[in-house]
Amino acid sequence: MSNADLVKRKIEHGLSGCTVIVHDPRRDDVHLKAEVHWEGFKGMTLIEQHRAVYATLKEELKETLHALGIETHEK
Amino acid sequence: MKNKIEQLINNNKIFLFMKGTPEEPQCGFSFHVIQILRNLDVEYGYFNVLSDDMMREAVKEYANWPTYPQLWVDGNLVGGCDIVMQLFEQGKLKEMLL
């Protein structure tokens, strides 16, 4: 399973009902960008939204992912 | 470690934990944030987390934020490269820094 698929699955699993699109602009499966649409972000500050996404990827962030970009949307 | 971190973020209105130095950023994300700070022409302190592994881990724990760079303003974490760029593009970053 590619990092992109893993990231998508983990975030969707962690934030129930969200939609995730993982972009791989450099096509290297490392410098990824996760675009996350989730109602649950409403009322959260930007930092809290990004923390919520990071929280779903605890282990991955330690090893493979150091270059994950995040873009959050409330719907 | 904790009080060293708090000293850094409280003694500087704007403080950046980054990989490398402003003159020689060692990662693209740190480079982007430095460019933005230069663009806004603001004074800021920085710490090169590549120079101290203990601090590198301690700051991530303190901030509850797993990556670098980390921009802090008035003792609060503003965010990493994504958030700083987003705020900059929305024109909100300038207000926070001045």
Side-chain angles (χ1 to χ4, degrees):
Chain A
M1 181 190 292
S2 70
N3 278 338
D5 295 335
L6 181 64
V7 163
K8 181 175 165 58
R9 181 168 301 196
K10 280 273 183 170
I11 298 174
E12 281 176 346
H13 177 70
L15 306 176
S16 68
C18 76
T19 320
V20 182
I21 303 152
V22 179
H23 305 276
D24 187 359
R26 302 191 199 174
R27 273 191 283 289
D28 60 4
D29 204 32
V30 171
H31 297 81
L32 302 174
K33 177 156 198 160
E35 183 188 320
V36 186
H37 299 255
W38 188 42
E39 296 261 328
F41 286 142
K42 282 205 173 77
M44 280 189 183
T45 64
L46 217 43
I47 274 259
E48 286 160 349
Q49 293 178 16
H50 284 226
R51 276 207 179 102
V53 175
Y54 278 135
T56 67
L57 295 161
K58 269 254 183 292
E59 291 70 32
E60 290 71 23
L61 276 171
K62 286 206 179 67
E63 289 95 30
T64 50
L65 282 179
H66 66 282
L68 172 68
I70 291 178
E71 194 184 287
T72 54
H73 302 272
E74 287 173 7
K75 49 176 174 19
Chain B
M1 278 291 153
K2 190 165 183 285
N3 41 36
K4 178 175 181 185
I5 295 169
E6 279 167 353
Q7 249 179 4
L8 291 172
I9 57 176
N10 292 323
N11 294 348
N12 297 273
K13 177 180 171 62
I14 303 167
F15 196 82
L16 184 67
F17 290 100
M18 65 176 291
K19 289 182 177 173
T21 63
E23 298 74 30
E24 281 174 56
Q26 297 301 307
C27 115
F29 298 113
S30 293
F31 173 73
H32 279 307
V33 172
I34 292 288
Q35 290 299 88
I36 288 172
L37 293 176
R38 276 208 183 104
N39 183 289
L40 293 174
D41 194 24
V42 287
E43 292 271 323
Y44 62 93
Y46 74 92
F47 183 87
N48 177 7
V49 296
L50 297 180
S51 67
D52 183 332
D53 282 342
M54 292 266 290
M55 272 292 275
R56 181 176 183 175
E57 289 315 312
V59 171
K60 280 195 257 187
E61 198 134 322
Y62 180 85
N64 181 17
W65 190 263
T67 58
Y68 289 104
Q70 291 182 18
L71 185 65
W72 291 69
V73 175
D74 298 325
N76 299 307
L77 177 61
V78 169
C81 187
D82 291 325
I83 290 178
V84 168
M85 284 177 78
Q86 195 172 325
L87 292 174
F88 176 64
E89 277 146 21
Q90 293 164 352
K92 292 185 185 150
L93 189 62
K94 193 164 193 156
E95 294 151 28
M96 297 168 76
L97 299 187
L98 298 180

